[in-house]
Amino acid sequence: MLEEYYAQYDPEFMKLKTRIREILQEEEDLTEIVQLVGKDSLSEDQKAVLEVAKVIREDFLQQNAFSTYDYNCPLHKTLGMMKCIVRFFENAKRCIVESTKSEKKISWALINNSCEKQYLELSQMKFKDPRLPREELNNYFINLCDEIDNEFRKLVLG
């Protein structure tokens, strides 16, 4: 019902929402495998799915109504967080898949180590005060997306 509203607010919103739902669905499917044979049996891109889904569940979807930063989340903050999470995930998945065709293999552990600051920032985004001016929050998310892109670029080239 609200698709039209979200599409007018930001054309990417529905695509991001769908992508986040797909990541969570993929995590649910992988959880069954992990329970049967363990996490070590997963491919590197599947490990990325589990880790990013954990950020989505624990740091994006869970809210604390009694905190000053989490009692309210304006749509522009929600959208910025979604963009950063999906940007990180898409970069991780692309790097892992493309590395299978090259000599330099990129694992989830390497991504986590190389992009540790950006990965940690995904968990810290929710602590941004929702009362900050919209422009300030938007700039924060744009800068974080740029940092994510730059770190993954360094990882691939480095």
Side-chain angles (χ1 to χ4, degrees):
M1 265 185 142
L2 292 173
E3 262 185 65
E4 203 173 304
Y5 171 78
Y6 290 129
Q8 287 176 355
Y9 187 84
D10 188 298
E12 278 189 277
F13 189 90
M14 292 308 292
K15 185 179 83 172
L16 292 167
K17 180 187 81 74
T18 300
R19 190 64 182 126
I20 285 176
R21 189 170 2 118
E22 290 169 353
I23 294 167
L24 292 172
Q25 180 60 52
E26 198 172 340
E27 177 205 28
E28 189 177 319
D29 298 341
L30 291 172
T31 301
E32 293 176 29
I33 294 169
V34 170
Q35 289 174 350
L36 291 173
V37 291
K39 198 172 182 177
D40 292 337
S41 66
L42 297 178
S43 65
E44 294 302 320
D45 61 320
Q46 291 172 327
K47 290 175 186 174
V49 168
L50 290 181
E51 294 300 324
V52 172
K54 182 178 165 188
V55 169
I56 293 169
R57 273 186 298 96
E58 295 177 5
D59 301 313
F60 176 66
L61 293 176
Q62 287 183 4
Q63 285 185 279
N64 179 354
F66 300 107
S67 72
T68 57
Y69 61 85
D70 217 10
Y71 72 96
N72 171 13
C73 190
L75 191 53
H76 60 274
K77 181 179 176 187
T78 300
L79 184 62
M81 292 172 72
M82 290 168 67
K83 285 180 180 180
C84 292
I85 292 168
V86 170
R87 179 78 58 99
F88 189 92
F89 178 74
E90 295 297 337
N91 271 303
K93 193 128 176 163
R94 180 182 45 79
C95 285
I96 291 168
V97 169
E98 288 178 6
S99 79
T100 60
K101 302 168 192 157
S102 71
E103 289 181 26
K104 182 183 178 186
K105 300 293 183 224
I106 296 177
S107 64
W108 171 252
L110 181 60
I111 289 170
N112 194 23
N113 189 36
S114 299
C115 304
E116 182 179 17
K117 179 179 176 267
Q118 291 72 30
Y119 184 65
L120 179 62
E121 195 61 35
L122 293 180
S123 298
Q124 302 300 310
M125 294 184 297
K126 74 180 193 178
F127 298 115
K128 285 290 185 188
D129 190 338
R131 295 169 297 199
L132 286 172
R134 183 181 196 153
E135 191 68 28
E136 187 176 333
L137 275 174
N138 286 344
N139 286 336
Y140 165 77
F141 291 120
I142 289 168
N143 290 337
L144 181 54
C145 281
D146 289 344
E147 276 185 43
I148 290 168
D149 288 340
N150 289 335
E151 283 306 310
F152 275 99
R153 201 172 298 115
K154 286 184 209 171
L155 178 63
V156 170
L157 299 175

